[in-house]
Amino acid sequence: PTEKMSLVNRLFENLTLVTTQNVPFSKEKTVGYLLILLTLIAEHSTPLHHKPEQEGYRHITKALQYIEENYASPLTLPQVAKQVHLSPNYFSKLFTQMNGYGFLEYLTFVRISKAKELLATTTKGVTYIAYECGFGSFPTFSRCFKTQTGTTPSEYRKRKQQQLLPSPIEQLF
């Protein structure tokens, strides 16, 4: 119970952060956090009757959690499907149906989100961040990053750092 409450508290903290601050992809993150919360609620409630789609939500929520915890590893669809005890084909169909994104699309989204966070808050090298976020090569990371954000990782970092600098008026106070 304590572990579950800790997870619920972290989920609510993340939901608060995502909904009150200008967080990239806040809509998608909100949906993911809500799916996890709903699964936790469903696991601890007494259903009137068992519905097959509830089982699907439970599997996909566990997959989302697994991806969030292991995004830096070289994840594959069959590997994640095995983690949630589904065949790769059924998992792929269910994942897209319930999440609105394909597996690789979602995995790339999570990895780029983590990379954006690191670019904005650390001085780690861009190539190091690429590998730390689970990309197998810098060119792949750079291409995916530009596709998702419209800018290169270095340009993104520069823009974020400029946003953090105080304006000349703020420097007076």
Side-chain angles (χ1 to χ4, degrees):
T2 307
E3 185 180 307
K4 294 269 185 193
M5 282 308 296
S6 176
L7 175 60
V8 169
N9 286 334
R10 281 197 326 266
L11 288 168
F12 274 111
E13 287 171 9
N14 289 341
L15 274 169
T16 302
L17 176 72
V18 166
T19 56
T20 59
Q21 297 184 10
N22 188 16
V23 176
F25 301 101
S26 59
K27 181 181 176 184
E28 292 83 357
K29 288 181 178 182
T30 300
V31 169
Y33 294 138
L34 288 174
L35 277 172
I36 294 169
L37 277 170
L38 288 172
T39 299
L40 289 170
I41 292 167
E43 286 177 349
H44 294 289
S45 63
T46 308
L48 296 174
H49 52 31
H50 179 74
K51 292 184 180 178
E53 64 269 15
Q54 288 175 334
E55 198 68 21
Y57 280 109
R58 187 175 61 79
H59 289 298
I60 297 307
T61 302
K62 285 185 179 185
L64 293 173
Q65 249 180 312
Y66 185 79
I67 291 167
E68 185 71 27
E69 293 167 0
N70 297 283
Y71 67 90
S73 302
L75 295 178
T76 63
L77 186 141
Q79 176 188 0
V80 177
K82 185 177 180 179
Q83 285 293 317
V84 296
H85 311 291
L86 295 175
S87 74
N89 287 339
Y90 182 64
F91 171 73
S92 179
K93 180 181 173 185
L94 194 61
F95 189 92
T96 303
Q97 183 181 40
M98 293 189 169
N99 198 35
Y101 300 96
F103 171 78
L104 281 179
E105 186 180 10
Y106 183 79
L107 177 60
T108 301
F109 160 76
V110 169
R111 287 175 170 169
I112 295 295
S113 295
K114 300 295 182 181
K116 287 166 57 176
E117 190 177 308
L118 291 171
L119 287 166
T121 61
T122 71
T123 58
K124 294 177 180 179
V126 178
T127 303
Y128 179 82
I129 289 172
Y131 289 104
E132 188 175 338
C133 291
F135 288 92
S137 72
F138 179 76
T140 301
F141 167 68
S142 188
R143 180 178 34 80
C144 291
F145 193 94
K146 188 159 187 167
T147 299
Q148 202 171 102
T149 66
T151 186
T152 67
S154 297
E155 291 168 345
Y156 179 85
R157 171 177 270 165
K158 186 176 179 182
R159 191 173 70 230
K160 284 297 179 182
Q161 287 174 344
Q162 288 173 347
Q163 289 174 352
L164 297 176
L165 294 175
S167 69
I169 294 173
E170 290 173 321
Q171 289 176 351
L172 295 174
F173 297 100

